[in-house]
Amino acid sequence: FSRRRRRRRQQQPQQQAETSLSAWIDTGVIVFLPRAANSLRSLLDTTTSTCQLLCCTQEGIQLKYQQSSHQQSLPEFASQNANSIDLYTHVLNALQLQEAACDNTTATKRYCQQYQTDLPQNVLELLHQTLSPLPLLVWTVPTGTFLHLGTTGELMQFLSITTTTNDSPDDAAQSLRRHLASNLGLTSWLQTQTLMESSSSSKTDAMSSWPGVVAVESHLAASEINIGTGSVLEHCFLHLLSNDNSQHRIDIGEHCLVSGIRTSGGGKFCLRSGLMVQQVTLNMGGNMVYMVLGVLDNIKTTPCEQMYGVSFSMLLRDTGLSEEEIWPDSTKKKSLWNAKIHPILPMSPPSSFNSLFDWINELGQGPNPDATLDTNAKTSLQLWQQQPRLSLADIRSASHAPSEFTYRARLSSLVRSASTTLQAKDTNDDDIKQTAQAFWNQHQRLYNLRRVLISRQHTAVPTLRELGNNDASISYAFRTLDEVIVDAFEQRNYDICGRAWMLMSAMLAECVTNATHVLATEQHDTASHQILSSSFSDTNDMVSIVDHFATVRDNYFQQGGSRAEGNISLLTELIDNSERLAQIMTRWCVMGGQEEKSLATRPTTQDCVLDCWVLSTAPARIDLAGGWSDTPPICFEYGSSVAGLAVAVDGTKPLSARSRLSPNGNVVVLKSEHRDFQGQLLSVDEVELDQLNQLKGYNNPSEKCALLKCALVILGVVSADQILSPKETKSIGSILAEFCGLPRSSTLGLQVIVTSLLPHGSGMGSSSIIAGCVLSSMAKCMGIRFDSSPTANKNGLSLVQSVLALEQMLSTGGGHQDQVNGLFPGAKLVHCQPLEFPLCLSIDSIQLDEKFEEELNDNLILVFTGRTRLAKNILQSCLRRWAMRTPAIVENLKGLIDNALAAAKTLSSAFSSSSMDQLGRVIDTYWQQKVVMAGEDSGVEPDLCSRLIRELKERKAIHGASLCGAGGGGFMVLLKCAHVTMTQIESSINDAIGSEDARGCKVYSCSIGNEGLHVSTLPVEVVGDDSFDVAWLRIK
């Protein structure tokens, strides 16, 4: 390119050579004509497996990231694998020049040698071979001039050129600046309003009051405003008017640059001449940084000669600062670029600029420039020293541009709105004040929203109504969530990402509540639905997902969907998909990563159990206290503690699974059956599979035997990729045989049958415990060994982790105590610490006093209410409110954990006459906490149950009562008083709810299950899949 440029220069007319100080500058637009554009596209075709430039584009990097096995975030992966192709160096220098004399092979070799340290050899060869046949044509403007805006001073001079006049004629550069500024429409006060209270007037003509000052899209309001000539203000919100009688002033010296400063509520803003200050939002927990320098400071000079517009030696002398404080990293090259002098501060509440920088205003001022700082300045210097600080180099990577763009867009809207108000009749300064105050309040709420999310605070976030119930407020709130989601995902903070998606759901649901939709006239936006659903095909590309989601969402609200008749089905889909994405993030947190992988070791042939039923049995569970704290994401965001019991029902372990591998079989038969306590079959679901594609939809909980299908994936028999791959042609039987280590020509059949004696929706953890039975039975059958864990007895915890993974795969969202309290025997306290990924459980067994256990076995009663609980709806309500961190739910969660610890303390104590009363109070407290957790309108407390508990309490028949699990129906656990019989309980039920409602109720005895999960092989004579004997489940 440089050779071509020189050759063109030699061809210019003679008069151009007379300008000895001119130089050719390469600038402007580079146009790739169709042939060249198609050649570039061919290099970047990511659909071809031979694309050697895959790592040269954002799309290619993302594709490579998805194809690779790694534990890195996308930015980390990109920094290590991206190939940076430079437009001038690599592309233009590969194009054909007219004077090229060597053949193309020689030219390619020379090109590769020249740039061998920049890119891999194969990439350089491909670039040159593709581009070298294309000619490079340069259009020149011999009489053109060039304006450089590379420093703060040059930028300020350009912005203020239309506000200044010179006695002497403009030189060529000055003339160009004035010409460009005039044609760009730059004025001294571009979309800026001022509001000043004084004894003479409340409104001022800014342009006449401060000639030579440039202010761009800013709001200034104070008792007194003074701005020096040559100063530039941009994107500032300085609203210093307050209701007190004190004077609040803006005092900016000459030739200052003030950018992005935002503050409200009184005080002062003072800046001496020759300084620049910029406020920038950081991606560090919602904080911000003040950057302060001298306008003429050189940030690259080494060693540093000038700082804050004074000599560096004077700065050290007058302040007592040391070089070690400014460059704490002991760097040898000490310049302003790496000087840590810019303090980090919380965005809300905003810190006063002058409380930190009064000392800088004093430097080199007054009649004696050698004087030391006064008392106030020293105080501000001490505060500055106490703050964590960043360098310019740090800020470049830590700044958060999206937040700045959002702020500037909102400020621009405010200023334009205020300008319209000022032009209207019957308006006064109070109207502007109210508008500005509303802007500031929303600004603070949005920053608080971001700060609370990023710093993982258990603090309430504002509702849409609190943020401002209008379209603009809704848009900015959603945009803030979009930014948090993308930032958190890139940092692999999936818990933050998940909470933001759930908040999105809660806010959208609030819009449904506020909207007046008419279902009869509902019109389906098919295109929007397709855009929304297709965007989730690759969850790794969160940027694209957010973009698609935001497009559909914003289009909905722009069409008036938030207030008038709208497409409620589309809004519902937005809600469902935001919760779906939140659930995916939760699953990744539980599993500690994105991959759906087996937690078990691969079997060997000799470990398999062939042609014999392997039976797993387990008790049910009763949660005594602390439930809900164990539910993801609550458990890994806040921590959890749950006290519970493994229990037999009517002397039976009511949950079981049995599996059998059949040599030479070629199908998988999965069956889920419900029986009564006498073993009679009540209902059954069955599927028969011989091809992998029949497993599609395995993670859809509404599919038949979905839990059993997921177990095949969790155990590693098949993978999600295999199920979805159109190229997989193997039968299930051959895949199963290969997995179990049999010869390639072999096949295996598999039968898995789960049996529950508990009705659906029991609330006793049946689905979670059955998952443990299924996995343990299939694992024993196939010779799989779960990894052991030091924090629980052998094989136990890894099985629990596998159950957790299975439930997350099914999107059922169960808590970890469900399976733990059934798979492990007796009484126990299960807890986990926050922010441990993958989820890590501790299981503390509680040794019961012999008398205490006897009393519990005599007085624990289960009552099936006859009502099917709607656990998913209750869970949805709870998780939305948890994402909002309403004060009631956060306080209640703390109470849940405290109550679980109280339950554990009661159970582990020696039995006394008050033990049952104490435990009853724990259970009663727990029930009230469940109601608070789910919410009043969630259906957690059916009227029938309330009446029953109230009647039993009035008759002094029970110590305490609670619905099992999430509530809403299912089983109720009663701790009856010793003098009350089972018959009396049944009579009380009839009296309390009436004989008709009581017909759906049934009372069961209950005892502590001192045997948890048990795995055994049935006798070989048990062959048929219809064989079942309830004696297998009886407590021996």
Side-chain angles (χ1 to χ4, degrees), residues 4 32-40 91-92 94-97 104 127-137:
R4 182 60 172 267
F32 293 92
L33 297 178
R35 180 185 169 198
N38 289 333
S39 297
L40 286 175
V91 175
L92 295 186
L95 297 175
Q96 181 190 115
L97 302 176
N104 197 50
L127 274 173
H128 193 268
Q129 290 169 2
T130 304
L131 299 178
S132 59
L134 304 171
L136 171 64
L137 303 177

PDB file of all heavy atoms in Angstrom, residues 4 32-40 91-92 94-97 104 127-137:
ATOM      1  N   ARG A   4       2.369   1.837  -3.463  1.00  0.00           N
ATOM      2  CA  ARG A   4       1.368   2.369  -4.379  1.00  0.00           C
ATOM      3  C   ARG A   4       1.113   3.853  -4.090  1.00  0.00           C
ATOM      4  O   ARG A   4       0.955   4.670  -4.981  1.00  0.00           O
ATOM      5  CB  ARG A   4       0.074   1.566  -4.226  1.00  0.00           C
ATOM      6  CG  ARG A   4      -1.047   1.997  -5.181  1.00  0.00           C
ATOM      7  CD  ARG A   4      -0.601   1.834  -6.641  1.00  0.00           C
ATOM      8  NE  ARG A   4      -1.713   2.070  -7.538  1.00  0.00           N
ATOM      9  CZ  ARG A   4      -2.513   1.119  -8.007  1.00  0.00           C
ATOM     10  NH1 ARG A   4      -2.302  -0.131  -7.652  1.00  0.00           N
ATOM     11  NH2 ARG A   4      -3.493   1.417  -8.825  1.00  0.00           N
ATOM     12  N   PHE A  32     -14.984  -2.671  -0.957  1.00  0.00           N
ATOM     13  CA  PHE A  32     -14.691  -3.947  -1.611  1.00  0.00           C
ATOM     14  C   PHE A  32     -15.778  -4.175  -2.656  1.00  0.00           C
ATOM     15  O   PHE A  32     -16.959  -4.357  -2.313  1.00  0.00           O
ATOM     16  CB  PHE A  32     -14.670  -5.085  -0.595  1.00  0.00           C
ATOM     17  CG  PHE A  32     -13.524  -4.997   0.378  1.00  0.00           C
ATOM     18  CD1 PHE A  32     -13.669  -4.342   1.593  1.00  0.00           C
ATOM     19  CD2 PHE A  32     -12.289  -5.561   0.069  1.00  0.00           C
ATOM     20  CE1 PHE A  32     -12.615  -4.254   2.477  1.00  0.00           C
ATOM     21  CE2 PHE A  32     -11.233  -5.476   0.952  1.00  0.00           C
ATOM     22  CZ  PHE A  32     -11.390  -4.818   2.158  1.00  0.00           C
ATOM     23  N   LEU A  33     -15.378  -4.144  -3.913  1.00  0.00           N
ATOM     24  CA  LEU A  33     -16.319  -4.375  -5.000  1.00  0.00           C
ATOM     25  C   LEU A  33     -16.748  -5.849  -5.015  1.00  0.00           C
ATOM     26  O   LEU A  33     -16.143  -6.677  -4.330  1.00  0.00           O
ATOM     27  CB  LEU A  33     -15.673  -3.956  -6.317  1.00  0.00           C
ATOM     28  CG  LEU A  33     -15.332  -2.445  -6.387  1.00  0.00           C
ATOM     29  CD1 LEU A  33     -14.649  -2.121  -7.696  1.00  0.00           C
ATOM     30  CD2 LEU A  33     -16.569  -1.590  -6.177  1.00  0.00           C
ATOM     31  N   PRO A  34     -17.804  -6.184  -5.772  1.00  0.00           N
ATOM     32  CA  PRO A  34     -18.389  -7.530  -5.659  1.00  0.00           C
ATOM     33  C   PRO A  34     -17.401  -8.674  -5.720  1.00  0.00           C
ATOM     34  O   PRO A  34     -17.477  -9.619  -4.933  1.00  0.00           O
ATOM     35  CB  PRO A  34     -19.373  -7.568  -6.836  1.00  0.00           C
ATOM     36  CG  PRO A  34     -19.804  -6.149  -6.970  1.00  0.00           C
ATOM     37  CD  PRO A  34     -18.591  -5.317  -6.671  1.00  0.00           C
ATOM     38  N   ARG A  35     -16.439  -8.619  -6.655  1.00  0.00           N
ATOM     39  CA  ARG A  35     -15.482  -9.726  -6.781  1.00  0.00           C
ATOM     40  C   ARG A  35     -14.662  -9.875  -5.506  1.00  0.00           C
ATOM     41  O   ARG A  35     -14.466 -10.981  -4.980  1.00  0.00           O
ATOM     42  CB  ARG A  35     -14.575  -9.491  -7.987  1.00  0.00           C
ATOM     43  CG  ARG A  35     -13.545 -10.595  -8.199  1.00  0.00           C
ATOM     44  CD  ARG A  35     -12.603 -10.235  -9.333  1.00  0.00           C
ATOM     45  NE  ARG A  35     -11.471 -11.134  -9.406  1.00  0.00           N
ATOM     46  CZ  ARG A  35     -10.352 -10.865 -10.058  1.00  0.00           C
ATOM     47  NH1 ARG A  35     -10.230  -9.702 -10.693  1.00  0.00           N
ATOM     48  NH2 ARG A  35      -9.360 -11.738 -10.076  1.00  0.00           N
ATOM     49  N   ALA A  36     -14.175  -8.752  -4.995  1.00  0.00           N
ATOM     50  CA  ALA A  36     -13.367  -8.791  -3.774  1.00  0.00           C
ATOM     51  C   ALA A  36     -14.210  -9.204  -2.575  1.00  0.00           C
ATOM     52  O   ALA A  36     -13.767  -9.974  -1.712  1.00  0.00           O
ATOM     53  CB  ALA A  36     -12.730  -7.431  -3.529  1.00  0.00           C
ATOM     54  N   ALA A  37     -15.440  -8.685  -2.509  1.00  0.00           N
ATOM     55  CA  ALA A  37     -16.317  -9.022  -1.385  1.00  0.00           C
ATOM     56  C   ALA A  37     -16.619 -10.512  -1.362  1.00  0.00           C
ATOM     57  O   ALA A  37     -16.616 -11.154  -0.298  1.00  0.00           O
ATOM     58  CB  ALA A  37     -17.610  -8.215  -1.475  1.00  0.00           C
ATOM     59  N   ASN A  38     -16.881 -11.093  -2.526  1.00  0.00           N
ATOM     60  CA  ASN A  38     -17.158 -12.537  -2.582  1.00  0.00           C
ATOM     61  C   ASN A  38     -15.932 -13.358  -2.189  1.00  0.00           C
ATOM     62  O   ASN A  38     -16.050 -14.422  -1.570  1.00  0.00           O
ATOM     63  CB  ASN A  38     -17.619 -12.923  -3.989  1.00  0.00           C
ATOM     64  CG  ASN A  38     -19.013 -12.390  -4.295  1.00  0.00           C
ATOM     65  OD1 ASN A  38     -19.814 -12.198  -3.387  1.00  0.00           O
ATOM     66  ND2 ASN A  38     -19.290 -12.143  -5.574  1.00  0.00           N
ATOM     67  N   SER A  39     -14.751 -12.877  -2.561  1.00  0.00           N
ATOM     68  CA  SER A  39     -13.526 -13.576  -2.163  1.00  0.00           C
ATOM     69  C   SER A  39     -13.367 -13.574  -0.644  1.00  0.00           C
ATOM     70  O   SER A  39     -12.981 -14.579  -0.045  1.00  0.00           O
ATOM     71  CB  SER A  39     -12.307 -12.915  -2.824  1.00  0.00           C
ATOM     72  OG  SER A  39     -12.370 -13.021  -4.229  1.00  0.00           O
ATOM     73  N   LEU A  40     -13.658 -12.438  -0.016  1.00  0.00           N
ATOM     74  CA  LEU A  40     -13.586 -12.361   1.453  1.00  0.00           C
ATOM     75  C   LEU A  40     -14.618 -13.278   2.092  1.00  0.00           C
ATOM     76  O   LEU A  40     -14.331 -13.966   3.090  1.00  0.00           O
ATOM     77  CB  LEU A  40     -13.799 -10.922   1.913  1.00  0.00           C
ATOM     78  CG  LEU A  40     -12.642  -9.954   1.676  1.00  0.00           C
ATOM     79  CD1 LEU A  40     -13.050  -8.539   2.061  1.00  0.00           C
ATOM     80  CD2 LEU A  40     -11.410 -10.381   2.475  1.00  0.00           C
ATOM     81  N   VAL A  91      -4.623  -7.386   4.820  1.00  0.00           N
ATOM     82  CA  VAL A  91      -5.528  -7.438   3.677  1.00  0.00           C
ATOM     83  C   VAL A  91      -5.019  -6.562   2.527  1.00  0.00           C
ATOM     84  O   VAL A  91      -4.814  -7.043   1.408  1.00  0.00           O
ATOM     85  CB  VAL A  91      -6.952  -7.014   4.099  1.00  0.00           C
ATOM     86  CG1 VAL A  91      -7.874  -6.957   2.882  1.00  0.00           C
ATOM     87  CG2 VAL A  91      -7.507  -8.005   5.122  1.00  0.00           C
ATOM     88  N   LEU A  92      -4.795  -5.270   2.788  1.00  0.00           N
ATOM     89  CA  LEU A  92      -4.400  -4.376   1.690  1.00  0.00           C
ATOM     90  C   LEU A  92      -3.038  -4.735   1.120  1.00  0.00           C
ATOM     91  O   LEU A  92      -2.808  -4.602  -0.085  1.00  0.00           O
ATOM     92  CB  LEU A  92      -4.414  -2.926   2.172  1.00  0.00           C
ATOM     93  CG  LEU A  92      -5.786  -2.367   2.571  1.00  0.00           C
ATOM     94  CD1 LEU A  92      -5.694  -0.886   2.880  1.00  0.00           C
ATOM     95  CD2 LEU A  92      -6.819  -2.609   1.481  1.00  0.00           C
ATOM     96  N   ALA A  94      -1.904  -7.597   0.733  1.00  0.00           N
ATOM     97  CA  ALA A  94      -2.000  -8.815  -0.073  1.00  0.00           C
ATOM     98  C   ALA A  94      -2.576  -8.534  -1.455  1.00  0.00           C
ATOM     99  O   ALA A  94      -2.477  -9.368  -2.352  1.00  0.00           O
ATOM    100  CB  ALA A  94      -2.874  -9.853   0.651  1.00  0.00           C
ATOM    101  N   LEU A  95      -3.160  -7.376  -1.659  1.00  0.00           N
ATOM    102  CA  LEU A  95      -3.776  -7.044  -2.947  1.00  0.00           C
ATOM    103  C   LEU A  95      -2.712  -6.737  -4.006  1.00  0.00           C
ATOM    104  O   LEU A  95      -1.586  -6.380  -3.701  1.00  0.00           O
ATOM    105  CB  LEU A  95      -4.717  -5.855  -2.784  1.00  0.00           C
ATOM    106  CG  LEU A  95      -5.917  -6.084  -1.859  1.00  0.00           C
ATOM    107  CD1 LEU A  95      -6.703  -4.795  -1.677  1.00  0.00           C
ATOM    108  CD2 LEU A  95      -6.816  -7.191  -2.385  1.00  0.00           C
ATOM    109  N   GLN A  96      -3.116  -6.838  -5.243  1.00  0.00           N
ATOM    110  CA  GLN A  96      -2.197  -6.706  -6.377  1.00  0.00           C
ATOM    111  C   GLN A  96      -1.799  -5.248  -6.611  1.00  0.00           C
ATOM    112  O   GLN A  96      -2.639  -4.361  -6.640  1.00  0.00           O
ATOM    113  CB  GLN A  96      -2.874  -7.257  -7.637  1.00  0.00           C
ATOM    114  CG  GLN A  96      -2.036  -7.207  -8.888  1.00  0.00           C
ATOM    115  CD  GLN A  96      -2.861  -7.535 -10.110  1.00  0.00           C
ATOM    116  OE1 GLN A  96      -3.055  -6.706 -10.984  1.00  0.00           O
ATOM    117  NE2 GLN A  96      -3.379  -8.770 -10.160  1.00  0.00           N
ATOM    118  N   LEU A  97      -0.476  -5.004  -6.776  1.00  0.00           N
ATOM    119  CA  LEU A  97       0.053  -3.691  -7.145  1.00  0.00           C
ATOM    120  C   LEU A  97       0.549  -3.741  -8.588  1.00  0.00           C
ATOM    121  O   LEU A  97       1.086  -4.755  -9.035  1.00  0.00           O
ATOM    122  CB  LEU A  97       1.185  -3.297  -6.203  1.00  0.00           C
ATOM    123  CG  LEU A  97       0.814  -3.239  -4.714  1.00  0.00           C
ATOM    124  CD1 LEU A  97       2.041  -2.936  -3.877  1.00  0.00           C
ATOM    125  CD2 LEU A  97      -0.250  -2.183  -4.469  1.00  0.00           C
ATOM    126  N   ASN A 104       3.661 -15.045  -8.478  1.00  0.00           N
ATOM    127  CA  ASN A 104       2.782 -15.076  -7.307  1.00  0.00           C
ATOM    128  C   ASN A 104       3.337 -15.970  -6.198  1.00  0.00           C
ATOM    129  O   ASN A 104       3.158 -15.678  -5.015  1.00  0.00           O
ATOM    130  CB  ASN A 104       1.384 -15.571  -7.722  1.00  0.00           C
ATOM    131  CG  ASN A 104       0.346 -15.229  -6.680  1.00  0.00           C
ATOM    132  OD1 ASN A 104       0.268 -14.082  -6.252  1.00  0.00           O
ATOM    133  ND2 ASN A 104      -0.430 -16.212  -6.275  1.00  0.00           N
ATOM    134  N   LEU A 127      -4.718 -16.166   2.708  1.00  0.00           N
ATOM    135  CA  LEU A 127      -5.030 -14.762   2.487  1.00  0.00           C
ATOM    136  C   LEU A 127      -4.391 -14.247   1.198  1.00  0.00           C
ATOM    137  O   LEU A 127      -5.049 -13.625   0.345  1.00  0.00           O
ATOM    138  CB  LEU A 127      -4.552 -13.914   3.675  1.00  0.00           C
ATOM    139  CG  LEU A 127      -5.476 -13.754   4.874  1.00  0.00           C
ATOM    140  CD1 LEU A 127      -4.755 -13.018   6.004  1.00  0.00           C
ATOM    141  CD2 LEU A 127      -6.733 -12.991   4.481  1.00  0.00           C
ATOM    142  N   HIS A 128      -3.077 -14.484   1.056  1.00  0.00           N
ATOM    143  CA  HIS A 128      -2.366 -13.935  -0.093  1.00  0.00           C
ATOM    144  C   HIS A 128      -2.818 -14.586  -1.390  1.00  0.00           C
ATOM    145  O   HIS A 128      -3.009 -13.912  -2.416  1.00  0.00           O
ATOM    146  CB  HIS A 128      -0.853 -14.103   0.086  1.00  0.00           C
ATOM    147  CG  HIS A 128      -0.053 -13.288  -0.888  1.00  0.00           C
ATOM    148  ND1 HIS A 128       0.360 -13.787  -2.098  1.00  0.00           N
ATOM    149  CD2 HIS A 128       0.377 -11.995  -0.831  1.00  0.00           C
ATOM    150  CE1 HIS A 128       1.033 -12.846  -2.746  1.00  0.00           C
ATOM    151  NE2 HIS A 128       1.054 -11.747  -1.996  1.00  0.00           N
ATOM    152  N   GLN A 129      -2.991 -15.889  -1.396  1.00  0.00           N
ATOM    153  CA  GLN A 129      -3.402 -16.576  -2.620  1.00  0.00           C
ATOM    154  C   GLN A 129      -4.798 -16.142  -3.068  1.00  0.00           C
ATOM    155  O   GLN A 129      -5.094 -16.078  -4.257  1.00  0.00           O
ATOM    156  CB  GLN A 129      -3.371 -18.090  -2.390  1.00  0.00           C
ATOM    157  CG  GLN A 129      -1.961 -18.643  -2.240  1.00  0.00           C
ATOM    158  CD  GLN A 129      -1.954 -20.074  -1.745  1.00  0.00           C
ATOM    159  OE1 GLN A 129      -3.010 -20.682  -1.547  1.00  0.00           O
ATOM    160  NE2 GLN A 129      -0.762 -20.621  -1.525  1.00  0.00           N
ATOM    161  N   THR A 130      -5.665 -15.825  -2.101  1.00  0.00           N
ATOM    162  CA  THR A 130      -7.027 -15.414  -2.453  1.00  0.00           C
ATOM    163  C   THR A 130      -7.100 -13.958  -2.883  1.00  0.00           C
ATOM    164  O   THR A 130      -7.840 -13.604  -3.811  1.00  0.00           O
ATOM    165  CB  THR A 130      -7.968 -15.642  -1.247  1.00  0.00           C
ATOM    166  OG1 THR A 130      -7.891 -17.010  -0.839  1.00  0.00           O
ATOM    167  CG2 THR A 130      -9.407 -15.297  -1.605  1.00  0.00           C
ATOM    168  N   LEU A 131      -6.321 -13.099  -2.229  1.00  0.00           N
ATOM    169  CA  LEU A 131      -6.446 -11.657  -2.451  1.00  0.00           C
ATOM    170  C   LEU A 131      -5.478 -11.102  -3.484  1.00  0.00           C
ATOM    171  O   LEU A 131      -5.740 -10.048  -4.071  1.00  0.00           O
ATOM    172  CB  LEU A 131      -6.270 -10.911  -1.125  1.00  0.00           C
ATOM    173  CG  LEU A 131      -7.281 -11.237  -0.024  1.00  0.00           C
ATOM    174  CD1 LEU A 131      -6.956 -10.468   1.241  1.00  0.00           C
ATOM    175  CD2 LEU A 131      -8.701 -10.930  -0.480  1.00  0.00           C
ATOM    176  N   SER A 132      -4.352 -11.753  -3.696  1.00  0.00           N
ATOM    177  CA  SER A 132      -3.340 -11.181  -4.594  1.00  0.00           C
ATOM    178  C   SER A 132      -3.815 -11.014  -6.038  1.00  0.00           C
ATOM    179  O   SER A 132      -3.319 -10.113  -6.737  1.00  0.00           O
ATOM    180  CB  SER A 132      -2.056 -12.022  -4.551  1.00  0.00           C
ATOM    181  OG  SER A 132      -2.319 -13.362  -4.932  1.00  0.00           O
ATOM    182  N   PRO A 133      -4.740 -11.817  -6.558  1.00  0.00           N
ATOM    183  CA  PRO A 133      -5.214 -11.543  -7.927  1.00  0.00           C
ATOM    184  C   PRO A 133      -6.075 -10.288  -8.026  1.00  0.00           C
ATOM    185  O   PRO A 133      -6.380  -9.828  -9.131  1.00  0.00           O
ATOM    186  CB  PRO A 133      -6.058 -12.793  -8.262  1.00  0.00           C
ATOM    187  CG  PRO A 133      -5.584 -13.847  -7.317  1.00  0.00           C
ATOM    188  CD  PRO A 133      -5.240 -13.120  -6.062  1.00  0.00           C
ATOM    189  N   LEU A 134      -6.488  -9.702  -6.906  1.00  0.00           N
ATOM    190  CA  LEU A 134      -7.381  -8.540  -6.920  1.00  0.00           C
ATOM    191  C   LEU A 134      -6.570  -7.253  -6.925  1.00  0.00           C
ATOM    192  O   LEU A 134      -5.635  -7.101  -6.145  1.00  0.00           O
ATOM    193  CB  LEU A 134      -8.294  -8.568  -5.692  1.00  0.00           C
ATOM    194  CG  LEU A 134      -9.138  -9.841  -5.511  1.00  0.00           C
ATOM    195  CD1 LEU A 134      -9.826  -9.828  -4.166  1.00  0.00           C
ATOM    196  CD2 LEU A 134     -10.159  -9.954  -6.640  1.00  0.00           C
ATOM    197  N   PRO A 135      -6.892  -6.283  -7.773  1.00  0.00           N
ATOM    198  CA  PRO A 135      -6.133  -5.021  -7.826  1.00  0.00           C
ATOM    199  C   PRO A 135      -6.569  -4.062  -6.720  1.00  0.00           C
ATOM    200  O   PRO A 135      -7.730  -4.043  -6.310  1.00  0.00           O
ATOM    201  CB  PRO A 135      -6.489  -4.462  -9.202  1.00  0.00           C
ATOM    202  CG  PRO A 135      -7.868  -4.990  -9.460  1.00  0.00           C
ATOM    203  CD  PRO A 135      -7.928  -6.354  -8.824  1.00  0.00           C
ATOM    204  N   LEU A 136      -5.612  -3.259  -6.249  1.00  0.00           N
ATOM    205  CA  LEU A 136      -5.881  -2.207  -5.289  1.00  0.00           C
ATOM    206  C   LEU A 136      -5.891  -0.865  -6.014  1.00  0.00           C
ATOM    207  O   LEU A 136      -4.908  -0.481  -6.650  1.00  0.00           O
ATOM    208  CB  LEU A 136      -4.804  -2.186  -4.192  1.00  0.00           C
ATOM    209  CG  LEU A 136      -4.854  -0.997  -3.228  1.00  0.00           C
ATOM    210  CD1 LEU A 136      -6.144  -1.010  -2.427  1.00  0.00           C
ATOM    211  CD2 LEU A 136      -3.647  -1.015  -2.301  1.00  0.00           C
ATOM    212  N   LEU A 137      -6.982  -0.168  -5.957  1.00  0.00           N
ATOM    213  CA  LEU A 137      -7.120   1.141  -6.578  1.00  0.00           C
ATOM    214  C   LEU A 137      -7.288   2.188  -5.496  1.00  0.00           C
ATOM    215  O   LEU A 137      -8.095   2.014  -4.573  1.00  0.00           O
ATOM    216  CB  LEU A 137      -8.333   1.159  -7.514  1.00  0.00           C
ATOM    217  CG  LEU A 137      -8.340   0.098  -8.621  1.00  0.00           C
ATOM    218  CD1 LEU A 137      -9.629   0.165  -9.423  1.00  0.00           C
ATOM    219  CD2 LEU A 137      -7.119   0.263  -9.527  1.00  0.00           C
TER     220      LEU A 137
END
